[in-house]
Amino acid sequence: MKRRIGWLFCAALLLVAAGHVALAQTAGAPDPLAAADTYVNAPKPWQMWFPKAGSPMQAQIDWLMKYVLWIMAGVVGFVGVLMVYVFIKFNHKANKVPSHLTHNTLIEVVWLVVPTILLAIIIGPSLSLIWYEGDDSNPYMTVTVTGHQWYWEYNYQSVAGLDYTSYMIPDDQLQPGQIRRLSVDHPLVLPVGEKIKFDITSGDVLHGFYLPSLGVQKYAIPGSIQTSWTLITKPGTYYGECNQICGINHDAMPIEIKAVPMADYLAWIKVAQANYTENAVPPDPISSPRPIDQFAEASK
Amino acid sequence: MSFTAHDPHDVAAQDAHTHDAEHGHGKPSFVRRWLMSTNHKDIGTLYITSAVIGGSVGGMLSMIMRAQLMYPHNHIVTSGAEWNAIITAHGLLMIFWMVMPALIGGMGNWFVPMMIGAPDMAFPRLNNMSFWFLAMGFIFIMLGLTIGEGTGAGWTLYPPLDNATYSPGIATDFSLFSLHLAGISSLLGAINFIATILNMRAPGMTMFKMPLFCWSILVTAFLLLLAIPVLAGAVTMLIMDRNFGTSFFEPAGGGDPVLFQHLFWFFGHPEVYIMILPAFGVISHVVSTFSKKPVFGYLGMVYAMVTIGFVGFIVWAHHMFVSGISDDSRVYFEVATLVIAVPTGVKVFSWIATMWGGSIEFKTPMLWAIGFIFLFVIGGATGVVLANAGLDQELHNDYFLIAHFHYVLSLGAVFAIFAGFYYWIGKMSGHPYPEFWGKVHFWTTFIGVNLTFFPQHFLGLAGMPRRYPDYPDAFAGWNFVSSCGAFLSGASTAVFFYILYRIFTSKEKLADNYWGEGATTLEWAVPSPAPHHTFEDVPVIR
C-alpha cells in the first residue's frame, strides 16, 4: 500500500515535471531540435557521389549503384580498349588490305550470351531492392506529405491537429547557418531509429518528394496517395527538393528534415501542437501565384 | 552486293540534257521547286534546312540555359515562367524539329529511294505535305515559346500543370497543336517510307539485300505509325481538358493525371528509338565505308533493330518508376528494359567487328561515327543503371538522368547526324567539305559536349533536380564546368556554319564514288550531286 502511494506520488511528480519542461520549451528554453544541428547532411561543393546514406534504404541504393556501375564501367572499359586496339591494329597504315570477314557464328553467340549473363547478375540484387523499397508495412508513424504550389504541408496522422506548412527561406531573409535554397521556415521533424511512412499527395499539380540522402522519391499526384518510407539512423538535418516540374517556383520548395532522438521528438510534439495547430490553414492554391516571399511572410 | 545501274556516266550525260529540258518543263522557278516540291531530294534538302534552323533555335535556348546555370543566383533568365518556357521549347524543338527532320525526313528522304533503286518516294505529294505540316508546326512551337508566359510544363507536358487552371494562356494550346502538326507530318512520312520500301525496291533488291539504313528507316517508320496516334490521342484529350471542360486527366472530375503519363510514354519511349535507330543505320554505313569492309553480321544487325523496335514498345513505364506503379510492375518494366541492352550490344559489337580486320581511314565522318559508338556505349551504360527501378528511386529526374539522355541523344543521335552529313554532303551538294575544318568541328564538339554532360552525372548523384533555374550553392562547381563545355560546343557550331559556307562556295567537283572501295551502296553509282531524277532506268541488282 505504502509502495503504491509512493509510485503514484512519483508519477504525479513526473507529470508535473514534464509539464514544466513543456512550458519551459514554449517559453523558449532548450530547443528540442538542437540535436539535429550537430550533423548536417547537405550537398557539398564538387560532390561526385551520392550523399552519405542517412537511412538503410539509401545505404542499399548506394551499394547497388556501386555494384551496377562497376559492371557497366567494366563494359565501357572493355569496349574502349577494344576500339583503341582496332584503331592501332587496323588503321589504313597498319593494315593496307582489308579482310572481308562478315560472319562468325561463335562470336555472335558469345556477344548475345555474355551480356545476358551480365544482366542476370544485375537483376538479382536489383529486384530485392525494389521489394525492400516497396515494403512500407508496420510503420511507427505516418506523415501525410502534400505538395502545393510552392510549399510542402506535413500532417502527422497520429498527432491530432498537427498539420503545418513548410516554405523555403527566401534568399534575402537567410539567417547565418541556413543554406540558400535548402533551408525552410518549418522543417519536418522526425524521430530517429523508427520506421516512418510517408503518404504523399498533392493539392494542385504534380510535385516530386525527393530526399536524396534518404533514398526516397515519389511523385506527389493530386487525387491519389503514393507511399514511401524511411528510417533515419542518425540525428541530424537532412535536405530534399521538389523534383517534378510544378510551375514557376519549382526550384523554391525544398524539404528540410530535422531528425531527433525520440525523447526530443515527443517534447517537440507538445511545442508543435501549441504553435502549429491554429496556423494549419493552407493558403488557397488558386491565389498562390504570389511572390514566394509574401508567403513566407504570411506563414510567420 | 553488286549492281548494274547503267553506266553512271550515262546518267551524267542524261542529266546534262534533262537539266534544261526537265521533261520539257524547263528549270522550275524557285517557288515551284522549293514550295511545291514533290522531289524526294528537294524535300530532303528542305528537311535538313529546317533541322539546321530548329537545331539552331534549340541550341541557342540551351546556351541561355547554361548561361543561367553557370552561377547560382543568376538572373539571365528573369522569371520562372520564362525558364520553364525555354526548357519546354528546347526539348520539343530538339526532338521534333532537329533530330527527326535531320535523320528521317532529311537523310531518309534523300537516300532511301536512292539506296533501293527507286525513282522517288511512293507518294511524292504526301511527302511535300509532310514537310509543310512540320514547317507549320515550327511556327506553332515558336508561338508556344513566345506568346504570353509561354508553355511551361516541360516537354513531357504532364497535366495538371498544363491544364486550364495552371497554364491558362493560349501558348500551351499552340504547343499542343504543334505536336499534332509534327505528329501528322511524321505519320504521313512513315506511311510514305513503308510504302516506298515495301513496294518500290529495284528488281533484285530483296529485303535482306537492302542496306541497313533503309532497314533502320523501315523499323522507325513502323514505330512512328504505332506510336504517334497514341500521342495524338493524349494531346487531344489534353486539349479537350483545357478547352472543352472534359476531365480525362482531372482528378476532380474522376480523371487521372497518371493516365497521361502512360499514354505519353507509350509514345515517348518508342520515340527515343525513333531518334536513335536511323542513327544506327547511318553509323553502319559510315563504319563499313571507312573500314573498307562490308558490315559484319548484317542479319544480326537487322534482327537487332527489329527487336529494339518491338521491345521499345513494352517498356514505357520505366519513365514512371516513381509515379504510382506497383512493385510488380516496377519489376516487369525493369527487366523488360534491361533486355534492350542485348540487341543494342549486338549493334555495338557488330560495328567493332566491322572495323576488325579493316583498313580504317579516320576521315571526318568516321571520327563522328567512332565518337558516336563510344559515347553511345557510355549513355547505354548509364541507361542500364537507370533501368534499375530501385536505383531510379534515387536518380529519377535528377541530373544523372539529364546526363544519360544527352549522352544517347545529344552525343549519340547528333553525332550520327554529323557523321551522315559529312558522309553524304558531297553526294547532296556535289562539293567536298573542308577536311581540316571538319576535324576541328569534330574535336571541338567532342570535347565540348563531354565537358558539358559528364559533370552532370556528378550533379545528379549529389541530388540536383532537373528544370531548376537556381540551385543550392554547393552545386555551383560542376555547373560552372558544364556551362564552359556548353559554350565550347556552341562555338563549334560556328565552325559548322563556316564549313557550310565553304561547301556552298566551293568550285571543286566530286567523283560519283568519292569514298572509293568501301562505299558500295547504290547512291555511290550515281553522279555527285545526284541528278534531279536519280534513275531514268530501273537499276538491276544482282
Side-chain angles (χ1 to χ4, degrees), chain A residues 40-53:
Chain A
V40 176
N41 189 330
K44 292 174 190 59
W46 302 103
Q47 186 176 332
M48 291 170 75
W49 190 250
F50 284 145
K52 201 168 179 324

Side-chain angles (χ1 to χ4, degrees), chain B residues 57-141:
Chain B
V57 178
M60 275 183 245
L61 295 179
S62 57
M63 291 300 118
I64 297 173
M65 280 147 63
R66 281 316 322 171
Q68 164 71 16
L69 291 173
M70 195 161 185
Y71 301 102
H73 202 42
N74 229 350
H75 289 292
I76 289 168
V77 176
T78 50
S79 72
E82 197 177 305
W83 172 263
N84 289 348
I86 289 172
I87 59 158
T88 306
H90 168 77
L92 291 173
L93 276 169
M94 286 305 200
I95 292 163
F96 289 96
W97 284 274
M98 195 276 279
V99 174
M100 288 172 69
L103 283 170
I104 305 169
M107 294 173 192
N109 252 311
W110 255 94
F111 294 106
V112 164
M114 249 191 251
M115 283 179 178
I116 61 173
D120 204 307
M121 295 286 281
F123 309 118
R125 288 185 185 169
L126 195 69
N127 204 6
N128 174 291
M129 201 155 96
S130 316
F131 173 76
W132 288 106
F133 270 126
L134 190 75
M136 295 304 129
F138 181 75
I139 295 173
F140 274 38
I141 188 78

Side-chain angles (χ1 to χ4, degrees), chain A residues 199-261:
Chain A
D199 282 355
I200 302 160
T201 186
S202 167
D204 38 48
V205 300
L206 299 179
H207 299 273
F209 187 68
Y210 176 43
L211 309 170
S213 52
L214 304 177
V216 171
Q217 177 165 213
K218 276 275 161 27
Y219 280 5
I221 301 170
S224 68
I225 291 172
Q226 293 216 74
T227 60
S228 188
W229 64 276
T230 192
L231 191 158
I232 304 173
T233 44
K234 188 175 166 185
T237 307
Y238 300 83
Y239 293 97
E241 284 153 312
C242 175
N243 199 11
Q244 171 57 35
I245 188 167
C246 58
I248 60 174
N249 288 327
H250 166 47
D251 61 345
M253 47 181 293
I255 300 146
E256 182 176 353
I257 293 178
K258 298 274 185 195
V260 293

Side-chain angles (χ1 to χ4, degrees), chain B residues 100-444:
Chain B
M100 288 172 69
L103 283 170
I104 305 169
M107 294 173 192
N109 252 311
W110 255 94
F111 294 106
V112 164
M114 249 191 251
M115 283 179 178
I116 61 173
D120 204 307
M121 295 286 281
F123 309 118
R125 288 185 185 169
L126 195 69
N127 204 6
N128 174 291
M129 201 155 96
S130 316
F131 173 76
W132 288 106
F133 270 126
L134 190 75
M136 295 304 129
F138 181 75
I139 295 173
F140 274 38
I141 188 78
M142 294 312 287
L143 290 173
L145 169 66
T146 48
I147 286 187
E149 296 216 311
T151 311
W155 86 276
T156 49
L157 298 166
Y158 283 178
L161 185 55
D162 57 359
N163 71 12
T165 313
Y166 300 104
S167 300
I170 197 171
T172 305
D173 295 296
F174 273 117
S175 293
L176 292 173
F177 277 110
S178 85
L179 285 185
H180 265 322
L181 289 174
I184 295 168
S185 160
S186 301
L187 201 57
L188 298 182
I191 291 166
N192 214 343
F193 278 119
I194 293 170
T196 307
I197 292 172
L198 293 185
N199 297 311
M200 295 182 64
R201 281 168 287 120
M205 175 68 77
T206 58
M207 286 302 274
F208 285 109
K209 276 187 181 170
M210 198 165 69
L212 282 175
F213 181 66
C214 303
W215 264 107
S216 74
I217 292 286
L218 180 66
V219 177
T220 303
F222 273 105
L223 296 190
L224 282 166
L225 192 69
L226 298 171
I228 293 283
V230 180
L231 173 72
V235 166
T236 305
M237 290 186 223
L238 213 45
I239 292 171
M240 302 275 279
D241 275 9
R242 285 178 58 79
N243 299 295
F244 304 112
T246 57
S247 46
F248 291 106
F249 309 126
E250 302 294 333
D256 185 1
V258 180
L259 171 65
F260 180 85
Q261 298 177 25
H262 279 290
L263 294 173
F264 182 85
W265 287 113
F266 191 85
F267 146 80
H269 199 73
E271 174 68 23
V272 307
Y273 295 107
I274 286 164
M275 288 188 274
I276 209 66
L277 282 173
F280 286 173
V282 172
I283 296 303
S284 296
H285 284 238
V286 173
V287 166
S288 149
T289 297
F290 293 96
S291 308
K292 304 191 187 74
K293 270 186 67 194
V295 173
F296 185 94
Y298 170 89
L299 265 187
M301 291 289 241
V302 171
Y303 287 134
M305 283 194 284
V306 174
T307 312
I308 291 172
F310 173 74
V311 184
F313 268 104
I314 51 173
V315 297
W316 74 92
H318 67 214
H319 298 268
M320 301 166 56
F321 280 148
V322 301
S323 41
I325 58 172
S326 69
D327 290 352
D328 292 343
S329 307
R330 300 217 290 167
V331 167
Y332 161 72
F333 282 107
E334 165 181 334
V335 175
T337 304
L338 288 173
V339 165
I340 297 183
V342 175
T344 312
V346 170
K347 303 287 301 181
V348 169
F349 290 123
S350 296
W351 287 321
I352 294 174
T354 305
M355 293 190 267
W356 192 278
S359 179
I360 305 170
E361 264 191 279
F362 296 99
K363 292 272 176 58
T364 306
M366 186 62 171
L367 288 181
W368 288 99
I370 291 165
F372 169 92
I373 297 171
F374 187 65
L375 298 173
F376 189 78
V377 169
I378 296 179
T382 53
V384 169
V385 172
L386 285 161
N388 287 273
L391 296 179
D392 193 67
Q393 178 155 320
E394 175 78 6
L395 298 168
H396 180 91
N397 263 2
D398 73 11
Y399 264 73
F400 193 87
L401 169 85
I402 305 291
H404 157 71
F405 73 69
H406 281 95
Y407 259 80
V408 287
L409 293 177
S410 179
L411 287 73
V414 171
F415 271 47
I417 288 169
F418 282 125
F421 173 82
Y422 288 107
Y423 183 60
W424 281 316
I425 188 63
K427 183 58 65 185
M428 296 191 279
S429 71
H431 304 297
Y433 64 88
E435 186 67 43
F436 170 77
W437 288 104
K439 285 182 173 155
V440 170
H441 181 210
F442 169 76
W443 285 110
T444 48

